[in-house]
Every structure is written in C-alpha cells, then in structure tokens.
Amino acid sequence: MAPTMNRLHPLSAVTYALQYGFLWLWIPVVLLLVLAGAFDPISGAWVPFAAPFGFLAGVAYGIAYYYRFGYEVTDDTVDVSSGVFARRSREIPYGRIQNVDIRQGVLQRVLDLAIVSIETAGGGASEATLNFVSEAEATRLQREIRRRTAAARERRRAEKKGTTGGVDTDTDTETETENEVDDTASDADADTTSAPPDASRQPDSRERRGQRDQRDQRDQGQPDEPDQREQDDRWDHPLESGPDPADEPDAEPAAEAGVETDHDRLGPQPVDAVDDDEYDTFDEFDDGDGFDEHADRDDRDEFDEFGQPQKQPLFDLQARELLLYSFTSIRAAAIAGVLFVFFLGTDLVFDYLLTVAQPVGGPEDLGTGTPTNYGILTIVSLLNGIVITYVLSVAYTFATYYDFRLGRVDEDFVYERGLLQRYSGSIPAEKVQSVTVTDNPLQRLIGYAGLWVETAGYGPESNGGSQSAVPLAEKARVYTFTENLTGVETPKFEQLPELARRRYLARYSIIAGVIVAIAFGITQVTVLERWYLAAVVFAAVPPAAHLRYVNLGYYVGEDHLVVRRGFWKRQTTVIPYYRIQTVSTRRSIFQRRLGLASLVIDTASSRTMVRGTPTIYDEELGDARDVHGECRERLQTALRERAESDDLGVSVDFT
Amino acid sequence: MESLHPRIRLLWIAQAAILAIILGIVLAAIDPWLLEIPTVAQVGVVIVGIALGLAYAVRLYQVWQFELQPDALYLERGVITFVETAVPFVRVQHVDTQFGPIERALGLSSVVVYTAGSRNADVRIPGLTPDRARELQDTLRDLAVESEADDAV
C-alpha cells in the first residue's frame, strides 16, 4: 500500500474483527465435526477449544484487513486497494463514476460513521465500498470526488473544444448566458409582487436565444411559457387538440402562482415541521443562505470562500407531500415482510386470525366449522393481511423518504433522505439516461405524481440506478420540472390504434376464461360448488382492457421520445434520442395477424432490468417502423450536434 | 440483407433434438415412479419434439437476416415473435466471436455484439463461417471506433 493512502475509520477495524471472528469461528467447528465422523482419534469434544481458535484467527484477519485496506483520491482516479493475502488495486476514473452514495444506519449515526459507495456503469455491485469512514470524511469524499469529476469534465470539454474549434461553444459564454436566462427565471420566481417581468424581459432572452437556438430550446419551458395548468392538461389529455379557451385569461396569474410555491420551498430553512437540528450533521453544506444565491445567481455566488461550489436546494419534500406519498404508495418490501412473518410464525398468525374472526362468525378452531365459518375466516384474514401490509408499507415509505431533499452542486444532483437510516448521494447530471414520471391510480386521483431520474449505475437500495428526484408533488409541478429538466416540449401523445384495445379485450378474456376454468377445477376436487359464479371476472375485462389502452401513449418530440405505459404504476419516460442504445420492432404471431408491432427502446439505464425496457406497445406496423427509423436518424443527428457543443443534455436547475 | 450459413439449421436441429431426448429421458425416469407413461407416448414426445425443432429451424433460417447499414447493424429474426433490431455502431461497446462444441464441429462461429443497454439482451449473430465472423468483428470494431462518442454512458 502506498504510504499516502487513507485508512478507514478505526472503528471499522473492530467491526471487521468481530465480523470475521464470528464467521471463522465456524470453520474449525464444522471441520472438527466432519473429521470426527470420519476418523476415530478426532473427537467432537474438542469443539470448545477449537472455536475460540477460529474466532481469534478471524479477529486477526479482520484487523489485518483493516490495515491492508487503503483508498485515495488522486487527480485522475479514485484508488482502492484491499486484500490481506491476494491484493486488489482498483482505479476508478472520474469520467466513469455514475454516483457517489453515503449510507448511515441508526447505530452508525450514533457513532458518526457512514458507508460510502462509488458506482460506475459496469458490473452488478458497487465498484468501491468504504465501510466505514467517519461522517465528516464521507462528506469530504463525496465533495472531493464531485469536484474532481467536474474538473475532469472541464478538461475533457476543453480538449474537445480544441479539436472541434470554430463553433460557438465557449464554456464561459455558455455558462454566462445560461445564468442570465436563469436570472430571469429566478427573478420571475422571486419577484411575484412586482409587475409581471415577462413583458420587459422576454425580448431580451429571445435575442439571446437567437444566438444559440439549439441549446435554448430547453429554456422555452421556463418563465415565459404560458400556463402550467394548461401543460398539465396537455400531458394528461392527449386528444385535446388545443388549449381550452376558458383557461386562457388566467394564464399569467396561474404561472405566477405556480412559481410562487417554488419560492416558498426554496427558503433558507425548510418551512415545514421537519426539525432541522436533529440532522444538523447533514446540513453541513446547507449554508442557510441558499435562497439568496438561487434568486441572484452568478458565477461568483456559486462558490464559497474556498472556491468550492455550494449546494443549492432544488426540492424539499413537504410534510404534506410525504404523508400523501406514504399513504398512496404500496411497497413490494411490505408485502414481502408480511409473507416473511407469516412463514416465520404460522401458528401464532393462525391463532391471531382465529381470535379476530371469531366474534364475527369465524370457526372455533381450524378443525371444526361450517363452510360459512370458513368463508368468514377467509375474508377476515384477507382484510387483516391487506390492512397490515398497507400499514407496514406506509411506515416503510415514511421512514425511507422522511426529510427528503434534493439540491444541486455545480452540475450534480445531490439528495438526502431517511428517518432511521440516512441516505445521501450525488448524481452527475450528465449521467442521467432518462427521466420518468410515475403515478398510481390513487396519486392520479389526487393529482400528484413523482419524478425519477435514471442512471446506468446501481443505487443504494439496488433499485437499479433509479433515483427519486421528486418523490411526490402536484402533477402540474412535476410536469413543469420534467420539461425544465430534460428540455422536452409538452408532449402531444399519440393514441394507439383501436385494434390495440381489441387485442387487450381478447387477451383479458382469455385470462378470465382461465380463471373460470381453475374455479371449475376447484369445485371438482373440493366441497365448493357453483363454479360459474367465477364468471363475474368477465365483467372486469372491458374496463381492464380500456384502462390499459388509455394509459398507453407516446410522443415523438424534437429531441426526446416520450413513452407512457401502465395503469397500476403508470410510467411516462422521457428518453433523449442521444441516450438510445438499440431500437427493436417486435411482432408476436398475434400482433402480426392484426398488423401491429411493439417498439422497444433500450437505454443504458439499469432501471430497465427491474421495470422493463420502455416499450411502445401495439402501434400499427407502418407507424412503428416510422418511429423506429426516426429514433435512429435522430440519434445520429443528436450525436453530431452534441459533438459540436458541450450540452449537458439535462438542465440542473429544473425546479 | 445477408443470410446465415445454411449449416446453422443443423445446429438448431441438433439443439432441439438434444432437448427432446432429454425430455424423453425425464419421461422414462418418471415412468416407473410416479405414473405410468406408455412407451409409445415417450417415443412420440421425442419424435414430435424433433419434428417441431426441425420445422422451427427451417423457418428460423428463412427469416434470419442481417445487414450493415450506414449507421447501424440491422437484424431480423424470430419465428414466434419477429424482431427487427438496430444497433447503432456508436453504441457498440465490444464485439466477441464465440463458438460452442456443436458449432465448432459444424465449422461455424457466432459474433456477439455488446451494448451498454440491458445487459442480458445482447445481440448474437450465429451461423457464420469463422472467416466471415472475424471479418464482421473487425468491421464492427472499426465502425464503432470511427463513430465513437465519449458519453455513451
């Protein structure tokens, strides 16, 4: 190990020692028991002497591991070397780092410790995990890596500029102009009492836009875009050809009101009930004067006295939103937890369910009872299961997203969240592969949605490189955020052909038929009768087919493809063309009969492993082929354009 | 559009036959244990399996085509689900040539193209002669380098 390398926190020596101690304890024990069975002279009675020996060896190994583990942040790479006997030295170039995450469990928070993990696009696990470093060191590392990554990025751009030359891609001009435009945006945000700024400022920004029309397409979604409510409607009701004239008159006030809520949110201290002092350790770069900077930003103000970029808040999850999010989302983890408890304590669970069901007509015990008794028991147990799962899910979501904050430092997004276990991470904006708006039926009912950014790395909860940027907010705001973040214009969704709905009708009818057949099978082998009652599932077929159909849509934009799908967890994914990896047109035998095709657009986002690749389902073959060709063509165009500019692809100031 | 080498059908038929035979062995193993399966049925399953494999192989060979287009590698394939895929050269991470034991016996080789997209869905072109496979690999590599973008991921 090079002498300059840093060691982990001394306490990790203790944890490694204990960890390996208890692990190695079993080696001599198992070995002895096996050998004692095979050879007479060896006796199983030696175990009490062998076990401590194994434990001590493990402790020694753990301590050695600690001393042989080193990490270092150099100019070009993050170096990690580890291994007691077999050494491994790993160098991770800054340009390849997807995100840097900090994780803190309850005990670690008490002891001021944190786990830092560094993710790249390759492999299935974190490229480097520092387990543990002190909290201050974790924050320092995260900042340092971010700073160096930014420096590496600047160098790369400077090189590119050197090679392409001529084109107006000067970084300074770019930043300056962008900031000026932002200024108008922020002023408009902040200055709600004065006259509407648009009238005087618009020509200004238009002029600037003329100079760099390419890049500025994205800014159209900013202050002088007329009406958020109108945008909202257009995202949700694709078939309406134009804005509702009735909405027109209050266009300006609506926009103002919309940004005013942003303004509240960006105050120096979060305005909700969250107790800041409790988490003061995480406020280290929340310097309290965030809002002023945000409102009046220029190059100078983005840095603190040490020339370090400061964190600027973008979005804080309010108490109301947190509660709504907790109550409107169902976590798979909660279902898994309930099932786990069920299998762990089956007897206890049955006792409990029997006790609960008895007063309302359940059986005395599992052995005796009439079919009615059992029916009541089943219904009561199901209700119980649903309620308990729901409560667990609410608690889990609440604890996970408690005190969620998103901010930006330079060109990186940084977030933190969690009640018991704190997570904090940074995502370079240039690594964002796609952006997805999600909502479930409940959230749609109350007019809320969430916004996720997807990278090619792996997140702390192995949720496939998908990170919540805005867990839940009013959908009008989420749509505006999406437009600002990606620069996508308000999509006018294409409705899929009627044939698609017919196809789902047929598909769900088949499923319903299978259910009835199963019911018939059950009546044949049990005491239950009247299998034909199961035919009520057919009543659900038309609405199911219709709901699936109306929640499908896509939009071929100027620089982005927008794909919407799903009813229970509807996802509207915005894919920049330059992020496309492969495009496939798929036709099953059923689709071929109907002349339909599905278009699969693959990106490097690792979320696709979990949630499925963005797919336009059941478009007419000709149209699908057109979109296929369009995607390929626009990928090439976008790549050429990006080679000539240092466009980030996403705008970090999206709220 | 370029088709695969005709011998690829033998490979697919061989794979189907192996599967069918394994299925037959499983059935034979179940026979005395769990339930009686007449020998005719066992032989029948194997024969039907091989026949299906044969038809599948012939059809798959008919539809399998690929082409180097100006910007992308383009493939068409699939019997049950017909898939047309475009892999832009700029997205090619690396290119392998591979061959398994049966492929080697038949004198065939595969080219596998990796992208940064969904890691399981990498693109494989089977049924190339070893020379053609190497040539394709070189071409793809050159095209990928030529169109390299620094921000693939």
Side-chain angles (χ1 to χ4, degrees), chain A residues 400-625:
Chain A
T400 312
Y401 285 95
Y402 182 79
D403 193 22
F404 175 94
R405 298 171 193 199
L406 180 80
R408 58 158 280 213
V409 177
D410 198 17
E411 286 174 355
D412 298 343
F413 297 115
V414 290
Y415 65 89
E416 52 189 81
R417 61 183 167 83
L419 178 64
L420 299 173
Q421 188 163 31
R422 286 294 283 182
Y423 290 101
S424 101
S426 69
I427 305 167
E430 62 167 2
K431 297 293 186 194
V432 173
Q433 297 285 329
S434 56
V435 174
T436 299
V437 177
T438 61
D439 46 26
N440 62 30
L442 272 179
Q443 291 163 352
R444 283 201 289 279
L445 199 68
I446 57 170
Y448 278 69
L451 178 66
W452 296 71
V453 294
E454 282 133 33
T455 67
Y458 286 80
E461 279 181 303
S462 69
N463 50 3
S466 174
Q467 183 52 55
S468 184
V470 174
L472 194 73
E474 281 155 35
K475 66 180 176 187
R477 291 182 64 206
V478 169
Y479 291 148
T480 313
F481 291 168
T482 312
E483 289 176 14
N484 294 348
L485 175 63
T486 59
V488 69
E489 58 274 27
T490 304
K492 300 175 192 64
F493 286 101
E494 301 270 350
Q495 194 88 6
L496 295 165
E498 275 293 318
L499 267 178
R501 179 154 48 187
R502 243 182 62 193
R503 191 173 169 228
Y504 304 138
L505 212 59
R507 180 192 293 174
Y508 293 143
S509 300
I510 292 171
I511 296 175
V514 169
I515 292 174
V516 173
I518 290 172
F520 180 72
I522 290 174
T523 54
Q524 296 297 299
V525 294
T526 64
V527 296
L528 295 170
E529 292 169 3
R530 288 181 291 195
W531 56 272
Y532 43 84
L533 287 183
V536 291
V537 291
F538 276 103
V541 167
H546 179 72
L547 286 175
R548 175 173 167 88
Y549 174 73
V550 292
N551 282 301
L552 288 174
Y554 69 95
Y555 169 68
V556 182
E558 196 60 41
D559 295 319
H560 303 81
L561 185 71
V562 186
V563 181
R564 168 174 282 177
R565 65 226 182 268
F567 168 74
W568 293 109
K569 183 135 185 110
R570 188 172 73 170
Q571 303 180 65
T572 310
T573 306
V574 180
I575 308 162
Y577 292 119
Y578 66 88
R579 290 301 193 193
I580 292 176
Q581 293 283 337
T582 63
V583 198
S584 300
T585 310
R586 303 175 62 94
R587 284 183 291 152
S588 71
I589 33 177
F590 303 110
Q591 286 175 311
R592 261 176 286 171
R593 217 167 49 82
L594 298 171
L596 299 176
S598 296
L599 190 68
V600 183
I601 299 102
D602 194 16
T603 66
S605 154
S606 35
R607 180 178 168 86
T608 59
M609 309 267 287
V610 190
R611 286 241 154 255
T613 316
T615 305
I616 301 172
Y617 292 99
D618 297 305
E619 176 56 293
E620 268 165 29
L621 178 60
D623 291 342
R625 285 222 170 101

Side-chain angles (χ1 to χ4, degrees), chain A residues 578 585 587 592 632 642, chain B residues 69 80 82 84 91 151:
Chain A
Y578 66 88
T585 310
R587 284 183 291 152
R592 261 176 286 171
R632 280 173 65 179
R642 283 171 61 80
Chain B
Q69 294 182 346
I80 307 289
F82 185 74
E84 302 158 23
R91 291 309 186 215
D151 60 350

Side-chain angles (χ1 to χ4, degrees), chain A residues 52-71:
Chain A
F53 181 75
F55 180 76
L56 284 181
V59 167
Y61 183 85
I63 292 172
Y65 188 88
Y66 166 74
Y67 278 105
R68 299 279 276 164
F69 190 102
Y71 66 89

Side-chain angles (χ1 to χ4, degrees), chain B residues 129-152:
Chain B
T129 61
D131 287 342
R132 177 65 185 135
R134 210 162 304 122
E135 190 194 346
L136 193 62
Q137 185 186 21
D138 290 345
T139 318
L140 282 172
R141 192 194 53 218
D142 291 345
L143 287 168
V145 170
E146 207 174 278
S147 55
E148 191 168 23
D150 62 342
D151 60 350

Side-chain angles (χ1 to χ4, degrees), chain B:
Chain B
M1 294 286 252
E2 193 174 331
S3 288
L4 305 181
H5 194 283
R7 270 206 300 271
I8 187 69
R9 286 174 294 184
L10 291 177
L11 173 74
W12 289 330
I13 293 168
Q15 283 171 344
I18 290 171
L19 266 180
I21 288 166
I22 289 175
L23 187 67
I25 292 170
V26 169
L27 285 180
I30 290 175
D31 188 12
W33 272 51
L34 298 169
L35 64 165
E36 300 258 312
I37 301 168
T39 320
V40 186
Q42 291 177 28
V43 176
V45 163
V46 174
I47 290 174
V48 168
I50 293 177
L52 281 179
L54 200 86
Y56 184 83
V58 170
R59 181 72 193 137
L60 187 57
Y61 171 73
Q62 283 172 355
V63 294
W64 228 118
Q65 284 183 314
F66 68 95
E67 185 176 45
L68 288 174
Q69 294 182 346
D71 61 324
L73 170 67
Y74 180 77
L75 316 107
E76 291 184 357
R77 65 211 186 276
V79 174
I80 307 289
T81 300
F82 185 74
V83 186
E84 302 158 23
T85 303
V87 187
F89 299 130
V90 66
R91 291 309 186 215
V92 174
Q93 297 276 326
H94 59 275
V95 189
D96 284 358
T97 52
Q98 295 179 354
F99 45 87
I102 310 178
E103 275 185 302
R104 194 196 307 235
L106 291 169
L108 292 177
S109 196
S110 301
V111 167
V112 188
V113 181
Y114 295 86
T115 68
S118 308
R119 276 136 208 123
N120 311 332
D122 294 316
V123 182
R124 167 185 284 266
I125 307 174
L128 302 167
T129 61
D131 287 342
R132 177 65 185 135
R134 210 162 304 122
E135 190 194 346
L136 193 62
Q137 185 186 21
D138 290 345
T139 318
L140 282 172
R141 192 194 53 218
D142 291 345
L143 287 168
V145 170
E146 207 174 278
S147 55
E148 191 168 23
D150 62 342
D151 60 350
V153 180

